[in-house]
Amino acid sequence: MNEQRFNIDVENINAEFCGSSTGYADERVLISLERAQGFGKLKNLPKRLPVGCRRGGCGICRARILEGNYKRDPMSREYVTLEDEKEGLVLLCAIYPLSDLKVRLEPKCVKNLEVNSQSLEI
Amino acid sequence: MAMTGVLRPGFIQMRVMDMEASKEHYINRIGLHQVMEGDDGRVYLKAADEFDHHSIVLRKADNAGCDYFAFKVYDEATLDAYKKRIEDYGIEVDDVRAGEQPGIGRRISFVVPSGHRIELYATCEHSDPKPGINNSHIWSVEPHGMRARRFDHALFYGPNIDKVQEFFETVLDFRTPEQVDLPDGGLLGIWMTCGMKAHDIAFVNHPEPGKFHHVSFELENWNDVGRAADIITNYDISIDIGPTRHGITYGQTIYFFDPSGNRCEVFAGGYTYYPDLPTRKWDMDNVGKAIFYYERQLNEAFLSVVT
Ligand code: FES
Ligand SMILES: [Fe+2]
């Protein structure tokens, strides 16, 4: 593992600060955040961290990069269009930090999640 | 021998974003074999315990998910009869020419009310590796990876599940061994079979049409599910849940993701269904046990993470 470490700060949708984590240079940002959540460092998130496939396919970890540089794996065009990409939208499981990062969760599937959790009352 | 209509799941075509990583996953980890690569770049895979030409097709795309799921029917006359019944039901049928996929005869193709493309075909060549026929060993090649024995079923997410059930039951002669009811009288999900397995295809109610939940491969036993879990961690494959058991079908299972985020399952077991058996029903208070029998609750990803 590349031991170079970066800070990853997470805001929620209303820009309220939610917590931070340390990520390794060759580690998917979502994995770093999952580890931080495991240590109780993301406890102010309004919901649990959205984690799905961890491989850029399901779109659940969609987020906006507010500051910082990263490199990327392929991510589903269904959830990050070319226009989204220009605006700085990514799937957190498909990017790796090249500097400290500031990110804001912007899941595209929030609507579906709500429909499902309502019909299921879970 | 009573089975003459739709015989079994034949093949499924999946979209993947990185072909080399996907081949590594399905061949070296799950334990399939590559039959061939087509001129258009599609890669055809099979399990060594299957006779038919292929059961998994990988197509490179810029998103993940499933293009279509094809069932094998008894013969060409059966295929013609289904074409007429599907059209009479009011669903448009497309013809796909023989050879559009290597080793596969003509297909018929149609979209069910959940937005998923389903296909039927009757003719298919065999390919190697395959089981022996005369005085054969249990392997033609030594099993590797998770030792998958066959492509078994898939679960899809989409709307109009009640209409999907009516179509599969009345037009394609499937039955529903198991279902989950919603409190308002609707359906959360249906597990349907064309034969005697507990399920060959399943659907869960979801607002977005045409979504894919998982493709499933059968293993020999519960020990192999444990070995699959070891492989998943050893190779840093993204895990979803398991090893655990489904209350529905009794399958012993583990869910994980391919390199494009498509969910895969390997499982063992499951009960035998006969056409005179009742549909087993679950209500929403017990849906946790129905899906994940040991955890007794759904994980967050079950209802929301699809490709
Ligand atoms: S978790 Fe599925 S795209 Fe990131
Ligand atoms: Fe399954």
Side-chain angles (χ1 to χ4, degrees), chain B residues 7-69:
Chain B
L7 299 182
R8 61 173 171 273
F11 57 85
I12 188 166
Q13 180 165 309
M14 304 291 308
R15 294 189 297 277
V16 298
M17 297 186 287
D18 179 336
M19 186 58 83
E20 284 314 306
S22 304
K23 280 162 67 172
E24 171 93 359
H25 177 85
Y26 286 97
I27 298 171
N28 298 344
R29 304 297 161 245
I30 291 185
L32 304 181
H33 296 265
Q34 179 163 335
V35 180
M36 60 181 293
E37 188 170 329
D39 295 337
D40 61 2
R42 279 183 291 176
V43 169
Y44 299 87
L45 308 175
K46 73 180 296 185
D49 216 35
E50 295 170 318
F51 284 97
D52 285 349
H53 191 266
H54 58 262
S55 54
I56 301 293
V57 185
L58 303 177
R59 180 174 75 82
K60 188 168 168 24
D62 67 6
N63 63 1
C66 172
D67 287 335
Y68 47 83
F69 182 145

Side-chain angles (χ1 to χ4, degrees), chain A residues 34 51-55, chain B residues 228-229 232-233 236-243 254-257 299:
Chain A
E34 279 192 87
V51 176
C53 66
R54 302 187 191 86
R55 293 297 182 269
Chain B
I232 287 166
T233 297
D236 196 25
I237 294 169
S238 174
I239 183 77
D240 185 11
I241 192 167
I254 186 163
Y255 281 170
F256 52 101
F257 294 96
N299 65 350

